[in-house]
Amino acid sequence: MEITVSQEQGRAAVSVIHIAGHLDGQTYQSLISKASEVIGTGAKNILLDLSDLTYISSAGLVALHTIALLTRGEPPPDPENGWAALKSMDRARDGGIQQHLKLLNPRPEVTRVLDMVGFSEIFEIFTDKQKAVDSF
């Protein structure tokens, strides 16, 4: 998996994290680390560009959930707790639509997974980068 970060400016500053490749058990912690680093520099709004993400596993879903918690200032689940980390994703659903984390251009195969677990209801998904940036 490749991760790159860029900055965009709309009404607010937005950090765009572009992910290419597979987001799975081998790579999800790298994404969490990169997002933590971005948030640690003061970023408040994150747009995850998924246009080159070709696969997402349950571990990848945990990464999205963890980043959502981090943007809300909440503690992340312990990934070493396995199913407990997955079950904690219900907290994301309880929190409603995420205000500081949005998704851009997921491929159909990734969208199917997001739909299957209900993440399409809690993450705003955009196909236009400028509209996504302006939505923050």
Side-chain angles (χ1 to χ4, degrees):
M1 179 180 70
E2 255 183 69
I3 304 171
T4 56
V5 179
S6 62
Q7 302 300 316
E8 296 286 335
Q9 186 65 48
R11 293 181 305 197
V14 178
S15 294
V16 180
I17 300 176
H18 181 267
I19 309 160
H22 288 204
L23 181 54
D24 55 23
Q26 303 275 323
T27 59
Y28 80 106
Q29 289 181 326
S30 296
L31 178 59
I32 293 169
S33 294
K34 181 56 77 177
S36 295
E37 179 183 310
V38 167
I39 292 166
T41 65
K44 303 271 187 248
N45 301 305
I46 295 178
L47 177 63
L48 288 179
D49 183 347
L50 306 179
S51 55
D52 292 319
L53 183 67
T54 56
Y55 174 80
I56 187 168
S57 72
S58 58
L61 296 172
V62 169
L64 296 184
H65 166 61
T66 300
I67 296 166
L69 292 174
L70 292 171
T71 62
R72 293 188 339 220
E74 295 183 30
D78 181 356
E80 298 303 315
N81 284 336
W83 284 109
L86 278 175
K87 289 181 181 181
S88 76
M89 289 193 298
D90 284 336
R91 285 194 304 170
R93 287 186 198 91
D94 294 341
I97 298 233
Q98 302 303 303
Q99 299 300 311
H100 301 287
L101 177 63
K102 301 180 184 190
L103 309 179
L104 177 65
N105 282 329
R107 292 172 175 240
E109 58 271 27
V110 172
T111 299
R112 278 192 295 278
V113 174
L114 297 173
D115 288 345
M116 187 172 43
V117 298
F119 273 21
S120 300
E121 297 170 20
I122 61 171
F123 291 108
E124 284 186 84
I125 299 174
F126 292 86
T127 56
D128 181 277
K129 185 177 184 179
Q130 191 58 52
K131 286 182 182 176
V133 168
D134 290 342
S135 74
F136 286 97

